[in-house]
Amino acid sequence: MKKENMAILSGVMIMGIVALRLMNRLRNDDHWMKLDGMGSLAIFSARGGGFVDFFLRSYSFLGSGFLLIPATIYSAYRYRRKGKRNIVFLLIANLIGCRLINSVWRKNWKQRPPSTKPFYIRYGYPSAHAMNATALYGLFTLLSKKFVRTKFCILAVHLGFICWSRIYLGIHYITDVLAGVAGGAMWLAFMASVFLFRSENSEKRFDIDLDHGIR
């Protein structure tokens, strides 16, 4: 693996950890939580309805586990048929770890979202949609074969819409989605590093190139 790409993976993990620490500190600070709530409520209260409302409600589903879990399992099945067991391991471990971290984390941070609607109370910190989308779409992008860097730029815009939709719909605070993105990116970078270590000790070796994806 190129030293440049290893440095990028390491940098993503470090930045993810730092961002998570920062988000947790903000959660314990009344002043910052008040600002976070005011900003989130301002976005939630500015809903205009119509096409924008429909678009963001629909776009929000793209970060849902109801879509991404089956997509990951199907991708693992396809790679299993091709005999690429290391990639199957990467897909499944990335999915399970992401979901597990989010579930455990939420039990320690039971923060209500901006809306007081009863069916929103189950949502909290961090945003599962943001974490799912970052870790799983990030991996799908890494598994693509061409224009990986360009696709990561498109992914950033895609994640931006998902995160904005969660705040816009009154389901999460700003810190919820930021922590979700940080956690998803950190976990993906960690799993990519484990994948490289595991593949080096197997008969079928793989490498990660941020220009050509996993090869």
Side-chain angles (χ1 to χ4, degrees), residues 36-47:
D36 183 27
M38 289 173 61
S40 303
L41 283 169
I43 295 171
F44 173 64
S45 301
R47 298 188 319 279

Side-chain angles (χ1 to χ4, degrees), residues 129-163:
H129 277 61
M131 188 174 287
N132 288 340
T134 303
L136 304 183
Y137 282 125
L139 180 54
F140 293 154
T141 302
L142 205 54
L143 288 170
S144 61
K145 298 300 181 184
K146 294 181 179 179
F147 310 113
V148 176
R149 292 177 188 269
T150 301
K151 289 176 181 177
F152 266 113
C153 293
I154 296 172
L155 174 64
V157 176
H158 176 58
L159 293 177
F161 273 113
I162 291 176
C163 292

